[in-house]
Every structure is written in C-alpha cells, then in structure tokens.
Amino acid sequence: MRRLIIPVLALVVLLSGLPLAAAQHYLSYTDDNGLLIEPVLLTDPFLQMPTEDSVNVVWFTEFDTGRNVVLLQDGSEIAADTFKMSRIREDNGSWIFREEERSALFDAPTMRNIWRHEATVGDLEPGERVGYSVMSVFPGGEDVTSETFTLAPLPEAGQPLNILLTSDHQNMPMVAANLQMVEAVYGTGGIDAVLLAGDLVNIPDRAGEWFDYGDGGGFFKSLQGNSERDVEWYGGANTFTGGEIIQHAPLFPATGNHEVMGRYHPATPGLNEQYNRPRPVAATEALYEANRAIINPDDDPAVRERFIEDNSFNTITYEEIFSLPDDSPGGETYYSVQFGDVYLISLYATRIWRTPNMSPDALSKYSEPEFDLANPGNWGFGSFIFEPISEGSEQYNWLAEQLESAAFQNARYKVVMLHHPIHSLGGNVVPAFTDPVPAYDYDEDGNLVRVRYEYPLEDSYLTRDVEPLLQAAGVDLVLNGHNHVYNHFRDESGVVYLETSNVGNSYGAYTDAETDARTSTPPFADLFTEEYVAAGDPSGLEPVLPGVMPLTDADGNPLAWVESNKLTVFSVLETETGTIRSYYYDTTLDPEEAEIVLFDEFSIGG
C-alpha cells in the first residue's frame, strides 16, 4: 500500500485563468461576444501524434495575432499552424467564470472564439526528453508563455512505460482528484501515455466543458493539473487540482457517445437538445430525398453533404481538438498506433444513449414518445449505432486487417480500446449492441399508437462478430468505458476486459436479480420478445476478484467491482512487467488522513 498525505488546496486563482489580485494589471480586450479576454493561454500545451523522431504540440487560446510558437530548451523556435474552431459554442447551459462570478452568458448557442495551435517538433532521439514551452502573442503585444514541460518521440520497443488507463471523465466531480492521485503515485512526468476509452466531456460542442467549466473542472484543466475542483462529501470541501500529465504524455482517446454531436443548428435550440437529437444517416438521407426540391434545387453535392451532416450527427469538434491517425476508413474516429511495446487499436463502437424509461412521454431506448408519433422527423430511432462494426462493415474489415498485421501480432502487448463494453456488470451493457428493430402498433381504426424498438440478442455485434476476432488474434487487453464502474474479466482464451471509469456518477454494478435495476418492467413488456437483463455480466463471464485488497460488502464479503461516487479509481499499465495496477482514493476523508490504496494487480501478455 502506498500512502500520501495531500494538503487541502486554497482557491487562489480564478478557474478561467483570470488573475485574482486586483493589483495585477494586464492589457485586455472584449471579444465580439462581450467576453473579457486576458493575456492567458486557454490550455497548457499537450502532446499528440508521436513518431520515431517527432511529436506534435497543441494548445488553445482565445486570441490569435499570428505568432504562436514552441520554444525548445536549446533556444530554437518552431512556428505553429493555427485555425479557428468551427463549431465550438456556448449556450444557456454554459457556466464559465468571468469577473469572479459564475454566470450563464448566452441565451442561445453562440460561437466562441477559440484558436487551436499545433507545431511539429522534429529531430528527436528515442528515449530522450526535451524541455519545451509554448508562446502566443496577445493583441496587446505581450508574449504569453507557458511553463516548461518535457516531450519525447515514440518510445522504442523494450522501453519501460507507465500508461494511464481511464475513461468517462465528463467533468465528473472526482476527475480532478483522480488525476491528482495519478501524479502523486507516479510523479510529474511519470506517465508516458494516456488511453482514454471515450466520453471525454458531456456535450462535445460546448467550449466550457473542454476548457473552463464553471465549478472548477474542464477536460484539459484536470489532465493538466490546473483545476480547482471541490468535492463536498463531508463537513468541509476538498479541493483538487488534477494532474500534470498530458503536457508530458500523448493522449489516445476512443470515440464514445459523448464525442458525437447530434443535429446541428447555428442558433437554436440549446446544445443539450442538439446533442440528444441525432438521427441515423439513412433516415436523414430519406428526409433529404423527400425534400430535395426545396433543400437543394440545383442538386449541388456539397449542399447535400452538408445537409446530411447537419441533420444526422457529427464528430467535428472532437476531431478538430485532437490530432489522431486518420488513415482508416473512419479517419480519426478509429485508428491504430504502435507505442513502444504496445500496439493499440482504438475503435468507434458506441451508440446514442437513451433512457430505459418507457413512460408515454419518454424518448426511450425502447419506444418513441406518444406526443411525437405523428412527427417522424422528431423521432429518436432508439439507441442506434453511430458507426457500423458488424461483420462485413468497413470498420470490421479494417479491424480484421489490423489484428492480422505483422506489427500487431509481433507486439508484446496487444490492446484494443472501445467505449461500449463487451463484458460488464454495468447497466449500459444492455440491451444487445445491435441495430434497433422497429415495431409499429396500431389501434383498431388503423391509428399508430406505439413505436417500439427491439434489440435481438443473437445479433449483438460485439459478442457475435468482434469478440471472436479478438480472441483468435490473441488480444491481451480490451479497455472499455460507459458504465462508470471498475471491473475486469478474463475469458478462456486469456483476453482481459477492463473498465476503469469510476470517477463519479456511477451507474451501479448489477450482480443479482433482486438488486438489478435493469429488471424494471415496462408498461407493455408483454409485447417484447427479448429479455435484455441478466444478473452479473450478460455475456456470461464472472468478474475477477481484485488481487490485493478488494472492497467488501456490509457482511465482509469481498467485492469484484467498485461502484462509488466517493471512491475514485485509476489504473496504470506498467509495460516493464505487463502489470496493471489499480488504485482507489476516498474523497470523503480529510486529506491529512486519506490513503491512495493499491487494491488490484494483475498481468497481461506472455
């Protein structure tokens, strides 16, 4: 067990990065949204796209005068390429700090002026770290410079690495505490890469969720040690900063359902509504064809493409924020990369989340709301899958090729990352991961009274099609998210399935029929032919009991999972030995008494 005393941090800096002390004076300007822009970087730099002799450095600002550079320790400068984010906005659900107050600043979705800067640092030597910082020039003329961090190219085979395994940050209340504990155990710069299995934020087009979330969060702040997040679980409030991690280590995410934005509208309705209203591409294409004469009387292909994109779903903001390999049929949404002894395949395996509630007014996984039955354009189409992954699809064929490649087969550690679980005790593992099959119920007069969706168990693409590929290829680790729990499984072929996403807002682990919330009976359950619930893992594996210090139930029985909104969990793959170590930290305790507890440890690979 490792013990670390964490002092309570004082709130000394405004969470947007604005100066607190009134005596500090900076030139500033007000942008076209009325926001006061100060000479500060919106994020620290972070690392992307490492190669054998280079790595990319990325950062964001709310200003651009055309001079944005990486400064290396030898005194050289590398100019960055810059572009303005195209769809990142704020709305009446945005909470960002301005002038020492938390305020909702926008009545409707409004573009926020944010620029992304990226520079490639080359001529690097494997195994060597180089000091760097970044600088952007403010409109007032000041040089705004980050602190100094370190970068490195791709590690060579055999180089010992510590790789953080995580998921489902979503600005959850314990994320900053979680990442601060990572840095406490492994040290600043002690993490060599981050694998994040999807759901980075909640609403991907909402700028504040990435950069300056109002209660001290923000995706980048937590991963860069710049947060000020309170966890108010006991009489006082613990304040956590997050960890200084991605300034030194490249981040490799997977596309989760919260990376996918729904139907786009430049002004209204709000971003939550836009996010929650994606439409399948096929349904959007049918809508376009039915209204083509109005939408596109000149049959301009660009107009058609834009209509389909705006009225179905997109990953534009996610893909603009990150630089990821783009040579798969899905571009950056699924990719592969060799990182030292690890060959990573990151998949796009997710679907729109909808409530299991089947009340008449609910936009459910299983039914359409009754008030919208006459308006198919407003339908939700069930929990439909964003990117096909069934046998014969582009993604499936690409995955099969990757698994058969010499690079994958020769890798010491073969890792596949996807958002949706194949095995899990969490509620989001049901219903089956397959295309919803609609059923239409009519009354005796021929009026539509109900639209239902079923998910045939025998057609579950991940268990029927993908899992056999992974087993046959000798995959060592499958990392997933989506349920906000910790559990892991090992099948007969030796594949380990790990979810380590317990960073707040746990949906629970369901282990027996009496406590399984997935057994709730819908008001017209007799119309369904499928049973979507099962005690434990619906796909039939038993979770593995943590090997060091498992939690226990009220009777002292060891538990094979963590489902908690007070304990935060993180896991690290240490490639020197192939060991995955998992820790928890109790955010309810006074930091003077709290321990970082190693509770699980197991090995992967040969």
Side-chain angles (χ1 to χ4, degrees), residues 547-589:
V548 180
M549 189 179 293
L551 298 172
T552 58
D553 64 16
D555 298 322
N557 300 310
L559 300 174
W561 60 88
V562 179
E563 50 155 342
S564 176
N565 289 317
K566 297 179 179 180
L567 302 179
T568 186
V569 175
F570 67 88
S571 302
V572 174
L573 167 60
E574 299 176 3
T575 66
E576 185 172 18
T577 60
T579 303
I580 293 178
R581 292 189 167 92
S582 298
Y583 303 79
Y584 71 73
Y585 176 82
D586 189 340
T587 62
T588 69
L589 298 178

Side-chain angles (χ1 to χ4, degrees), residues 159-189:
Q159 180 178 332
L161 305 171
N162 298 321
I163 299 178
L164 176 63
L165 311 174
T166 185
S167 186
D168 295 78
H169 288 189
Q170 295 180 249
N171 284 303
M172 293 300 175
M174 296 190 296
V175 173
N178 182 284
L179 297 170
Q180 185 170 325
M181 299 310 117
V182 174
E183 185 180 3
V185 173
Y186 286 89
T188 304

